[in-house]
């Protein structure tokens, strides 16, 4: 009898051991694995250290997160009496003596209880996200699952490296509705993002109700329906119905701001001016240097051919912006408003008499200084609403506004320069942080601009060349020219947003790509349960022409590469290459097919590319 009990115990422990895998993203500052696990039962109590209303809310949030997939209705109690079989949330002012302490937390999982301690409810919230990631993946389900709810014993101390951990979503190029935005925020919160940069206006659509300027949405939010290659789509026809688009009412915005706040995410609204303003001009043509019958752009080529910049010499422009920013400032609690400032085409300013006159009067030597004049005036408008200005790094050109913060996207130099001048910076260099770019071979991916693989996104080091005093943090950006829907938004966001989450949260010395890739894969399984899309492009072959030979590579370790120059579909019986091998091109070869295998199973897509294409690259 004894030996059977013993056997059962061994089985139980080994079952427990199987669930012991810990795959947290972002990686915590310190993590100590211990033996054993906590088993969650229907009787497990959520114990809150005090009556703080927000702590109480978080207790209910936790009960709900656990309730749906487990089917358990965990009781919630308040008190300090030590208990067993409890998840204890302790809000106390004992300080972490570290940077980012406001968001820090400790998490102890023992056999008898789980305890999260933090000095702020934001810290508690972060601890909860980590705790959920320690659960079996089925915790992500939205219906009851039958699994043992074991949580591996562990001791974690954690806090962020940077205070600003952002994600931009462009809702102009393609409109993404309220439900999509909420779902997107749900995911961001899991990876400890705390800033949602909402790109609300651009040439292809204005997306937020402004009561004072109703045409912004009745006209500016709608365009003619088009599909096809972005920038090559047929232009709007005269009198064609504008049926594609959408916008958020102010009630929607309030709801989303609150939804984000409940997840410890603040929303940074962006109104992109003075360039990228075609949707504004479609609604209010009088704000252009030469008013015309402007049309919201449907993805056709127009840059430089059609004016898309506001007239900086017109008082009405500033009156308009004052009206818009009054309402924006009231809707969004974020201390900043993003005014864009990027890629402003100034060709029409150059030929405008009013602009020339203004430049002469103000002693502005070129249109870059004219844009700087504009931005400085906008900064005053924002300040009058109690807001700080942030803009893309173009706002450096022609002179930076006195208190402006710079978002560095054209590489890192804008950020470096601004920080040297004593301005705050947020880093989002396109070659590391633009998740609208190709994540695998362009032949296998939807059209976009440049390339950004997962390992490159992961390799980013934000502090290079920048005094940490001015470095607020960074973000990654999902521009949506080629993001028609939620599934594609998720495909482009994950896994690269996991890399960025770690870049901006985790300690520098904890970074390790191989370990990260393994954790990403575990996260994929959780996404599957949560029905969130993601890209598996990190498993795809990488093919290049080097020294007149074909070089084969993989992005992650441990894959076998199989290939053929003949007309067959390669599998693991075909020739095998090692990572980095260079293969001579056989005479007459016009194409190569490559596929990766792992442990005898195909993984990733089959890549077919012509030698001619490779030569062109
Ligand atoms: C540049 S980043 C832009 C966006 C595009 C993006 C595409 C920035 C400030 N401007 O308008 O969508 O590239 O990658």
């Amino acid at each position: 009898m004894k030996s059977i009990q013993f056997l059962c115990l061994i089985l139980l422990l080994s079952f427990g051991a199987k669930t012991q895998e810990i795959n947290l993203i972002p990686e915590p500052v310190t993590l100590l694995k211990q033996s054993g696990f906590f088993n969650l039962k229907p009787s497990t109590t959520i114990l809150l250290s005090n009556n703080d209303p927000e702590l109480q809310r978080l207790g209910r949030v936790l009960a709900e997160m656990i309730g749906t997939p487990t089917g358990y209705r965990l009781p919630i109690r308040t008190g300090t009496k030590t208990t067993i079989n409890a998840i204890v949330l302790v809000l106390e002012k004992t300080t972490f003596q570290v940077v980012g302490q406001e968001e820090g937390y400790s998490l102890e999982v023992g056999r008898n209880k789980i305890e999260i301690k933090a000095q702020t409810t934001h810290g508690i919230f972060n601890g909860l996200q980590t705790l959920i990631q320690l659960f079996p993946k089925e915790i992500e389900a939205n219906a009851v699952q039958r699994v043992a709810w074991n949580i591996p014993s562990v001791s974690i101390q954690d806090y962020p490296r940077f205070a600003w951990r952002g994600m931009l979503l462009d809702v102009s190029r393609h409109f993404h509705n309220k439900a999509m935005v909420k779902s997107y925020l749900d995911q961001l919160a899991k990876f400890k993002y705390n800033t949602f940069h909402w790109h609300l206006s651009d040439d292809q659509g204005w997306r937020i109700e402004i009561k004072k300027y109703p045409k912004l949405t009745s006209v500016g939010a709608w365009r003619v329906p088009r599909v096809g290659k972005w920038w090559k789509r047929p232009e709007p026809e005269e009198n064609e119905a504008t049926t594609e688009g959408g916008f958020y009412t102010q009630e929607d915005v309030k709801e989303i701001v609150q939804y984000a706040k409940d997840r410890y995410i603040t929303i940074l609204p962006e109104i992109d001016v003075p360039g990228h303003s075609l949707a504004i001009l479609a609604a209010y043509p009088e704000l252009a240097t030469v008013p015309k019958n402007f049309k919201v752009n449907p993805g056709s080529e127009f840059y430089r051919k059609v004016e898309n910049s506001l007239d900086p010499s017109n008082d009405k422009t500033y009156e308009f912006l004052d009206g818009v920013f009054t309402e924006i400032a009231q809707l969004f609690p974020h201390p900043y408003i993003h005014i864009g400032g990027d890629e402003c085409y100034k060709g029409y300013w150059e030929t405008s008499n009013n602009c020339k006159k203004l430049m002469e009067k103000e002693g502005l030597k070129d249109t870059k200084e004219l844009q700087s004049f504009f931005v400085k005036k906008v900064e005053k408008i924002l300040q009058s609403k109690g807001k700080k200005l942030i803009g893309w790094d173009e706002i450096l050109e022609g002179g930076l506004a006195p208190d402006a913060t710079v978002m560095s996207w054209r590489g890192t130099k804008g950020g470096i320069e601004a920080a040297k001048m004593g301005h705050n910076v947020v880093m989002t260099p396109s070659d590391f942080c633009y998740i609208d770019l190709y994540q695998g071979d362009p032949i296998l991916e939807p059209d976009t601009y440049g390339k950004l693989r997962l390992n490159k996104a992961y390799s980013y080091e934000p502090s290079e060349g920048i005094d940490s005093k001015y470095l607020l943090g960074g973000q990654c950006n999902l521009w949506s020219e080629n993001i028609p829907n939620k599934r594609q938004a998720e495909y482009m966001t994950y896994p690269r947003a996991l890399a960025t989450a770690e870049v901006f949260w985790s300690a520098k010395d904890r970074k390790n790509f191989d370990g990260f890739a393994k954790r990403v894969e575990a996260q994929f399984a959780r996404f599957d349960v949560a029905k969130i899309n993601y890209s598996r492009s990190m498993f795809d072959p990488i093919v290049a022409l080097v020294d007149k030979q074909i070089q084969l590579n993989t992005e992650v370790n441990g894959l076998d590469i199989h290939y053929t120059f003949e007309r067959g579909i390669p599998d693991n019986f075909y020739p095998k290459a090692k990572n980095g091998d260079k293969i001579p091109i056989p005479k007459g070869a016009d194409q190569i097919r490559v596929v990766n295998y792992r442990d005898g199973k195909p993984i990733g897509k089959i890549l077919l590319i012509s030698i001619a294409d490779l030569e062109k690259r």
Side-chain angles (χ1 to χ4, degrees):
M1 192 60 203
K2 272 259 162 68
S3 65
I4 290 185
Q5 277 177 352
F6 184 68
L7 195 70
C8 286
L9 186 71
I10 294 290
L11 279 175
L12 197 76
L13 284 178
S14 57
F15 178 62
K18 247 191 102 196
T19 64
Q20 293 279 318
E21 273 231 0
I22 295 177
N23 288 299
L24 300 173
I25 297 177
E27 180 78 1
V29 175
T30 64
L31 183 158
L32 231 105
K33 290 182 198 181
Q34 269 131 11
S35 64
F37 55 85
F38 178 90
N39 174 252
L40 187 98
K41 303 173 204 62
S43 58
T44 303
T45 305
I46 294 176
L47 184 67
L48 307 172
S49 65
N50 64 52
N51 275 320
D52 180 277
E54 179 57 11
L55 184 66
Q56 295 284 325
R57 186 187 71 87
L58 290 178
R60 294 191 295 274
V61 166
L62 176 63
E64 203 181 302
M65 283 198 286
I66 294 177
T68 309
T70 62
Y72 304 164
R73 294 274 147 257
L74 303 190
I76 305 177
R77 297 215 179 82
T78 305
T80 47
K81 244 201 4 251
T82 44
T83 338
I84 58 161
N85 187 24
I87 303 177
V88 192
L89 307 186
V90 184
L91 183 63
E92 62 174 25
K93 300 284 176 231
T94 59
T95 47
F96 289 86
Q97 296 301 330
V98 286
V99 191
Q101 51 185 303
E102 311 83 47
E103 287 194 60
Y105 67 92
S106 67
L107 167 60
E108 302 284 338
V109 179
R111 289 166 205 239
N112 291 324
K113 73 170 181 179
I114 294 175
E115 189 169 70
I116 297 176
K117 279 189 189 169
Q119 58 163 343
T120 66
T121 51
H122 196 170
I124 298 279
F125 182 81
N126 287 329
L128 292 179
Q129 302 315 311
T130 303
L131 174 59
I132 291 295
Q133 285 191 22
L134 290 171
F135 272 71
K137 66 179 190 302
E138 289 78 8
I139 198 75
E140 300 287 339
N142 64 3
V144 175
Q145 306 294 306
R146 299 212 156 273
V147 294
W149 297 104
N150 292 341
I151 300 131
S153 289
V154 70
S155 171
I156 290 172
Q157 298 273 327
D158 201 13
Y159 52 86
R161 183 169 174 208
F162 294 106
W164 185 302
R165 302 179 307 279
M167 169 68 78
L168 173 146
L169 179 67
D170 170 3
V171 294
S172 172
R173 275 56 177 276
H174 281 94
F175 180 61
H176 296 283
N177 67 19
K178 190 165 70 176
M180 184 291 187
V181 173
K182 285 186 176 176
S183 156
Y184 205 67
L185 290 167
D186 282 340
Q187 296 306 314
L188 293 182
K190 287 184 196 288
F191 307 109
K192 305 189 174 77
Y193 280 92
N194 64 6
T195 303
F196 178 63
H197 177 164
W198 212 1
H199 186 75
L200 289 164
S201 78
D202 215 301
D203 303 306
Q204 290 81 12
W206 178 280
R207 304 297 179 206
I208 179 169
E209 176 189 30
I210 299 295
K211 307 248 181 205
K212 191 171 174 197
Y213 295 103
K215 283 199 281 182
L216 284 173
T217 42
S218 66
V219 175
W222 303 97
R223 66 185 188 226
V224 298
R226 292 288 185 273
V227 292
K229 194 172 166 63
W230 193 264
W231 299 133
K232 295 276 181 253
R233 296 175 171 190
E235 285 174 11
E237 285 161 28
E238 221 31 69
N239 301 320
E240 192 182 351
T242 54
T243 53
E244 186 171 314
F247 64 91
Y248 313 99
T249 65
Q250 293 203 353
E251 287 313 303
D252 290 338
V253 170
K254 285 179 200 159
E255 194 182 319
I256 292 172
V257 166
Q258 183 61 42
Y259 193 87
K261 183 163 180 261
D262 287 346
R263 285 151 188 78
Y264 288 84
I265 294 173
T266 38
I267 302 189
L268 171 72
E270 178 183 353
I271 299 299
D272 199 349
V273 290
H276 285 272
S277 291
L278 192 48
I280 301 176
L281 298 182
Y284 297 99
E286 62 272 25
L287 301 178
T289 54
V290 181
K292 279 205 190 88
N293 181 16
F294 297 104
K295 293 198 160 60
V296 179
N297 177 267
S300 50
E301 202 191 341
F302 75 96
Y303 194 62
R304 293 166 205 261
K305 293 196 292 188
V306 177
E307 171 67 303
N308 70 331
S309 304
L310 303 179
D311 178 1
S313 70
N314 188 345
D315 287 342
K316 278 209 191 118
T317 297
Y318 302 101
E319 193 187 302
F320 167 81
L321 290 174
D322 191 286
V324 168
F325 287 131
T326 301
E327 294 184 34
I328 298 279
Q330 281 161 5
L331 287 166
F332 294 93
H334 203 291
Y336 284 97
I337 291 177
H338 199 301
I339 58 104
D342 58 315
E343 300 173 319
C344 172
Y345 180 62
K346 305 171 184 81
Y348 295 87
W349 294 0
E350 263 147 32
T351 52
S352 146
N353 282 331
N354 287 339
C355 286
K356 282 189 224 162
K357 260 188 252 159
L358 176 65
M359 286 168 69
E360 210 178 286
K361 185 175 143 225
E362 298 291 334
L364 308 171
K365 73 167 193 299
D366 56 22
T367 47
K368 283 188 177 165
E369 292 194 358
L370 182 54
Q371 173 163 340
S372 164
F373 170 87
F374 169 92
V375 174
K376 284 174 187 154
K377 281 189 77 133
V378 175
E379 177 169 66
K380 290 228 176 71
I381 295 175
L382 296 190
Q383 284 168 345
S384 76
K385 323 281 170 218
K387 297 291 181 181
K388 294 192 269 190
L389 181 144
I390 182 165
W392 299 111
D393 55 58
E394 283 92 335
I395 66 171
L396 280 156
E397 296 168 3
L400 195 52
D403 295 312
T405 295
V406 170
M407 208 173 250
S408 190
W409 76 278
R410 296 175 302 172
T412 56
K413 58 183 186 309
I416 293 170
E417 188 186 330
K420 278 198 182 126
M421 291 157 61
H423 288 253
N424 286 337
V425 298
V426 173
M427 297 306 289
T428 179
S430 61
D431 30 354
F432 294 99
C433 299
Y434 270 38
I435 56 166
D436 60 324
L437 306 181
Y438 292 114
Q439 51 196 324
D441 194 292
I443 237 169
L444 299 170
E445 306 279 344
D447 288 340
T448 175
Y449 309 106
K451 216 179 272 177
L452 173 63
R453 284 191 180 272
L454 181 65
N455 55 2
K456 176 120 192 241
Y458 192 75
S459 73
Y460 180 46
E461 174 41 51
S463 70
E464 261 159 38
I466 300 175
D467 184 345
S468 62
K469 201 163 97 196
Y470 301 111
L471 179 55
L472 300 182
Q475 63 181 45
C476 61
N477 300 336
L478 186 60
W479 299 102
S480 71
E481 289 93 322
N482 296 296
I483 311 290
N485 53 45
K486 176 173 181 275
R487 294 297 287 177
Q488 187 59 18
E490 292 166 354
Y491 177 88
M492 297 302 275
T493 303
Y494 301 109
R496 286 175 297 183
L498 305 179
T500 308
E502 195 145 311
V503 167
F504 294 115
W505 176 284
S506 302
K508 202 171 159 180
D509 61 4
R510 297 283 288 178
K511 274 176 68 184
N512 168 305
F513 184 70
D514 289 341
F516 173 69
K518 180 182 140 278
R519 286 181 284 122
V520 163
E521 235 184 304
Q523 181 55 45
F524 285 170
R526 304 177 81 88
F527 282 145
D528 286 337
V529 178
K531 300 189 171 71
I532 296 294
N533 201 12
Y534 55 88
S535 162
R536 302 175 62 86
S537 307
M538 68 182 198
F539 297 122
D540 295 349
I542 302 176
V543 180
L545 196 70
V546 178
D547 308 328
K548 303 208 165 137
Q549 296 185 315
I550 303 285
Q551 186 172 52
L552 299 176
N553 266 300
T554 62
E555 189 169 353
V556 295
N557 279 332
L559 308 187
D560 299 324
I561 313 171
H562 296 277
Y563 65 94
T564 181
F565 292 96
E566 299 186 276
R567 258 46 184 185
I569 306 285
D571 63 13
N572 52 339
F573 291 79
Y574 275 67
K576 182 166 139 181
K578 287 196 310 297
N579 211 356
D581 276 359
K582 285 187 210 154
I583 322 277
I585 304 174
K587 208 170 194 87
D590 60 342
Q591 63 172 39
I592 184 169
R593 269 201 180 85
V594 191
V595 65
N596 291 333
Y597 268 67
R598 187 172 62 188
D599 303 331
K601 291 194 201 82
I603 190 165
K605 306 177 199 96
I606 295 189
L607 178 70
L608 164 65
I609 187 156
S610 73
I611 308 296
D613 270 5
L614 278 172
E615 278 163 354
K616 265 186 254 152
R617 283 185 175 176

